[in-house]
């Protein structure tokens, strides 16, 4: 970090990644057989879960490539990775799946990335890898960069081989293929064949009971989920545009509902923006970077949609080219539309609004709560608790 005038600048030469973030990202793309990291989107990678993101430099670079990247890390009393990422204007939330599943449904992300994230993946009978398998879409990638696999001294190839043996055993059991290895970076690909799990002779990991999905901090389970889902669509088979195809939309219901929803929110956003314009624009830039428009500068960088429904507000922000990212929250008592939101390439999480949202204080610029109060039917909490939590999440002004 460098202090430049009155702002802290983060340079792409992140200390966690020795050759710099851009070179590291290009290396991953080349390991996937791509010409450059700008081709990741066309190759089906649109959403990335970055576990233990450090300064957030890798996520910042992926966001510049139009890939939605969510940083998760455990709560830290000091030096928080999540808080640092949010201060930089990057998507992040507190998350730790050492004992509990993350609040996302099966088949949520195209890539999961771990660079020295501190998780020992072959512990507890590979149950952490099974959770990654649950989160990955068919054909998705798990990228692991770890110095523990770095060869030292003599017989380097044998040492590296021995280091990876338990990991290789567990990944074979859950139908992953090690498709590339370079220096300390390994890339596995999840199978696109749902039948692999039942036909794999090396597999002693059972399938979960049908209908098991959309957990809200349930205990980790040693079984495979998502194989019977209608959403089992390999990332390589998706349309190249950012919008879902009619076939992909039909999996979630009536496509006409989604288009009507978008029109409603496009109109609403124009109304919001006209009301907000005197308040949120300034001649002083609130954030550094080439992507900013000329003055006046928009001071809203992130939005939390507390009852996101289909993610229509997020879609409207994108269509209107507003420079914000949206955390789409689906209340646990609402109809679970989070799979659709994630399939659209947006970010989101399940949440019970009788509990604190897993973020640090003063981390969101704008909260949007359409129809939220109808989901507060529990006796565990009332309006005052909800508004105190909203006050905690909102930044000053």
């Amino acid at each position: 970090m460098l202090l430049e005038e009155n702002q802290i600048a983060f340079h792409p030469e992140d200390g966690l990644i020795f050759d710099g973030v851009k070179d590291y990202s290009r290396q991953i793309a080349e390991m996937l057989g791509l010409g450059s990291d700008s081709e990741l989107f066309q190759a089906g990678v649109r959403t990335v879960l970055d576990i233990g993101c450090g300064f957030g430099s890798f996520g910042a670079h992926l966001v510049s490539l139009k890939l939605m990247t969510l940083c998760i890390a455990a709560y830290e009393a000091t030096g928080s990775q999540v808080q640092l990422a949010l201060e930089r204007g990057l998507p992040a939330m507190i998350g730790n799946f050492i004992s509990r599943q993350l609040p996302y449904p099966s088949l949520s992300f195209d890539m999961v990335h771990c660079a020295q994230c501190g998780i020992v993946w072959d512990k507890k009978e590979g149950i952490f890898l099974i959770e990654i398998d649950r989160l990955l879409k068919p054909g998705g990638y798990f990228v692991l960069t770890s110095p523990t696999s770095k060869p030292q001294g003599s017989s380097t190839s044998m040492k590296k081989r021995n280091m990876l043996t338990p990991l290789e055993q567990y990944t074979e059991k859950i139908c992953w293929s090690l498709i590339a290895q370079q220096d300390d970076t390994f890339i596995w690909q999840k199978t696109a064949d749902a039948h692999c799990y039942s036909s794999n002779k090396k597999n002693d990991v059972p399938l979960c009971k049908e209908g098991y999905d959309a957990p809200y901090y349930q205990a980790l389970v040693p079984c495979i989920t998502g194989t019977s889902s209608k959403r089992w669509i390999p990332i390589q088979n998706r349309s190249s545009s950012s919008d879902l195809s009619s076939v992909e939309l039909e999996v979630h219901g009536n496509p006409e509902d989604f288009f009507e929803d978008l029109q409603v929110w496009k109109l609403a956003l124009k109304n919001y923006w006209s009301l907000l314009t005197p308040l949120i624009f300034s001649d002083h830039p609130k954030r550094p970077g080439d992507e900013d428009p000329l003055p006046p500068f928009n001071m809203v960088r992130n939005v939390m949609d507390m009852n996101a429904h289909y993610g229509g507000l997020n879609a409207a922000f994108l269509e209107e080219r507003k420079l914000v990212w949206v955390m789409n929250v689906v209340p646990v008592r609402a109809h679970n539309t989070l799979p659709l939101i994630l399939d659209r390439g947006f970010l989101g999480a399940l949440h019970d609004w009788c509990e604190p949202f897993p973020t640090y204080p003063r981390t969101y610029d704008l909260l949007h709560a359409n129809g939220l109060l109808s989901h507060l039917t529990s006796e565990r909490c009332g309006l005052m608790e909800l508004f105190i939590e909203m006050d905690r999440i909102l930044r000053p002004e």
Side-chain angles (χ1 to χ4, degrees):
M1 294 182 280
L2 292 178
L3 192 63
E4 295 183 351
E5 295 180 359
N6 65 337
Q7 295 189 338
I8 293 172
F10 293 83
H11 286 259
E13 306 302 311
D14 193 321
L16 275 178
I17 298 161
F18 302 107
D19 296 327
V21 167
K22 290 181 180 176
D23 287 341
Y24 176 67
S25 177
R26 186 166 59 245
Q27 174 190 336
I28 289 173
E30 289 170 356
M31 290 170 73
L32 295 177
L34 306 174
S36 74
D37 51 9
S38 61
E39 296 177 20
L40 283 166
F41 189 93
Q42 285 79 13
V45 178
R46 299 177 192 177
T47 55
V48 179
L49 184 68
D50 191 9
I51 302 172
C53 53
F55 297 153
S57 297
F58 182 58
H61 178 65
L62 293 184
V63 167
S64 74
L65 300 175
K66 303 291 187 283
L67 305 183
M68 286 308 297
T69 306
L70 176 62
C71 160
I72 64 160
Y75 171 75
E76 299 163 284
T78 59
S80 163
Q81 301 171 70
V82 168
Q83 193 166 21
L84 200 56
L86 287 163
E87 290 295 336
R88 295 184 67 180
L90 301 170
M93 61 185 282
I94 299 167
N96 185 346
F97 59 88
I98 296 304
S99 61
R100 305 258 169 210
Q101 293 182 330
L102 293 172
Y104 321 115
S106 302
L107 317 179
S108 290
F109 297 95
D110 305 318
M111 179 182 282
V112 176
H113 173 260
C114 158
Q116 303 181 35
C117 63
I119 294 172
V120 184
W121 293 101
D122 52 12
K123 293 290 184 187
K124 295 191 177 182
E125 300 296 316
I127 200 164
F128 304 145
L129 291 170
I130 293 173
E131 172 67 353
I132 297 298
D133 182 83
R134 184 184 75 80
L135 295 171
L136 275 177
K137 291 180 182 289
Y141 303 101
F142 176 52
V143 180
L144 174 63
T145 298
S146 172
T148 57
S149 56
K150 198 163 191 172
Q152 297 173 344
S154 58
S155 64
T156 54
S157 60
M158 181 58 72
K159 286 196 176 186
K160 184 174 282 193
R161 180 80 192 167
N162 288 342
M163 281 281 192
L164 271 189
T165 298
L167 261 184
E168 286 176 334
Q169 290 172 350
Y170 288 125
T171 53
E172 281 183 4
K173 286 181 180 181
I174 55 176
C175 290
W176 290 7
S177 306
L178 180 62
I179 60 171
Q181 172 186 346
Q182 188 175 327
D183 301 327
D184 294 333
T185 300
F186 302 82
I187 301 181
W188 283 270
Q189 184 173 26
K190 176 177 173 171
T191 184
D193 177 14
H195 301 294
C196 174
Y197 296 97
S198 52
S199 61
N200 185 3
K201 292 176 182 174
K202 296 180 180 178
N203 181 21
D204 55 5
V205 183
L207 299 181
C208 294
K209 291 179 182 176
E210 199 157 337
Y212 176 87
D213 198 10
Y216 182 63
Y217 294 114
Q218 298 295 318
L220 291 172
V221 290
C223 58
I224 300 294
T225 58
T227 55
S228 59
S229 171
K230 292 180 182 176
R231 295 171 55 237
W232 187 278
I233 300 172
I235 64 171
Q236 292 79 8
N237 292 357
R238 287 192 310 214
S239 53
S240 57
S241 73
S242 57
D243 298 322
L244 293 180
S245 68
S246 56
V247 175
E248 291 167 320
L249 279 175
E250 280 171 12
V251 169
H252 299 279
N254 185 357
E256 290 178 10
D257 290 347
F258 311 133
F259 296 125
E260 285 176 20
D261 188 61
L262 175 59
Q263 299 313 312
V264 167
W265 288 112
K266 276 173 67 177
L267 199 63
L269 181 60
K270 283 180 178 168
N271 186 33
Y272 292 162
W273 219 246
S274 67
L275 293 168
L276 287 166
T277 294
L279 305 171
I280 66 169
F281 285 87
S282 163
D283 290 332
H284 174 69
K286 290 289 183 181
R287 51 185 174 168
D290 298 330
E291 76 281 359
D292 281 322
L294 294 170
F297 296 90
N298 165 25
M299 292 191 286
V300 172
R301 297 188 302 179
N302 63 7
V303 175
M304 180 183 287
D305 195 348
M306 299 173 72
N307 184 21
H309 199 42
Y310 293 140
L313 182 65
N314 194 155
F317 270 115
L318 280 177
E319 196 149 310
E320 295 294 313
R321 301 185 178 222
K322 306 296 185 193
L323 287 176
V324 302
W325 64 267
V326 180
M327 174 60 73
N328 296 282
V329 181
V330 176
V332 289
R333 290 174 184 80
H335 174 57
N336 185 15
T337 52
L338 188 55
L340 167 65
I341 289 168
L342 293 164
D343 285 355
R344 294 179 81 171
F346 304 157
L347 300 176
L350 283 173
H351 187 63
D352 182 346
W353 280 114
C354 284
E355 300 172 6
F357 190 83
T359 191
Y360 288 81
R362 304 176 297 281
T363 44
Y364 281 85
D365 301 328
L366 192 153
L367 298 183
H368 182 257
N370 176 58
L372 175 67
L373 302 186
S374 61
H375 297 297
L376 282 184
T377 56
S378 169
E379 294 177 1
R380 291 194 299 129
C381 62
L383 284 184
M384 182 54 74
E385 287 89 345
L386 177 66
F387 278 100
I388 289 172
E389 172 63 1
M390 292 163 73
D391 183 75
R392 183 186 76 88
I393 294 171
L394 274 174
R395 290 180 182 276
E397 298 188 357

